Amino acid sequence: LATFIAVQSNLSLPSLYNTMGKRTKKAGIVGKYGTRYGSTLRKIVKKMEVSQHSTYRCVFCGKDTVKRSCAGIWDCRSCRKTVAGGAYTLSTASGVTVRSTIGRLRKIAQESA
């Protein structure tokens, strides 16, 4: 059918297929909301939804198989470990700060003892 249309309209096949448009350019996962809720809110929701649906590296087995099971609960599909983390990302900024502070205090306690 496409070759018939190309012959009838004197178009080559590649130029016929290049005229078709893409589905979404910038919207991505929040394209389902259409033009509702405003662009700023959609950008914020896009950042959260992309991060919560992506896979993360497991700290136990080192594979990229950690996925979110529900808010704050992350499961590794390879080693079957369950980790508590942030609602939308595996580790939050405050969690990283606390982890580094605990490590630093442990090191100081070991040196003094």
Side-chain angles (χ1 to χ4, degrees):
L1 181 67
T3 54
F4 177 73
I5 293 171
V7 170
Q8 289 288 335
S9 61
N10 293 330
L11 291 174
S12 64
L13 284 177
S15 66
L16 178 69
Y17 289 121
N18 288 338
T19 58
M20 297 176 70
K22 294 182 179 179
R23 291 202 323 253
T24 60
K25 187 171 182 179
K26 293 183 281 187
I29 197 167
V30 293
K32 59 188 174 187
Y33 300 123
T35 58
R36 298 181 296 273
Y37 313 115
S39 64
T40 306
L41 291 177
R42 284 196 313 270
K43 285 177 191 172
I44 294 169
V45 170
K46 180 180 181 179
K47 182 179 174 185
M48 290 189 311
E49 286 193 11
V50 166
S51 66
Q52 80 179 11
H53 290 118
S54 61
T55 57
Y56 290 88
R57 178 158 289 142
C58 179
V59 295
F60 300 104
C61 65
K63 296 180 181 176
D64 291 328
T65 53
V66 178
K67 287 205 55 110
R68 178 182 187 255
S69 63
C70 59
I73 308 296
W74 299 83
D75 293 322
C76 178
R77 296 183 176 187
S78 178
C79 64
R80 312 281 292 164
K81 297 258 188 187
T82 302
V83 181
Y88 304 112
T89 57
L90 179 60
S91 61
T92 60
S94 60
V96 170
T97 305
V98 167
R99 206 174 304 123
S100 66
T101 304
I102 290 172
R104 183 175 48 81
L105 292 173
R106 259 195 203 132
K107 187 176 177 183
I108 292 172
Q110 286 177 355
E111 289 174 358
S112 65

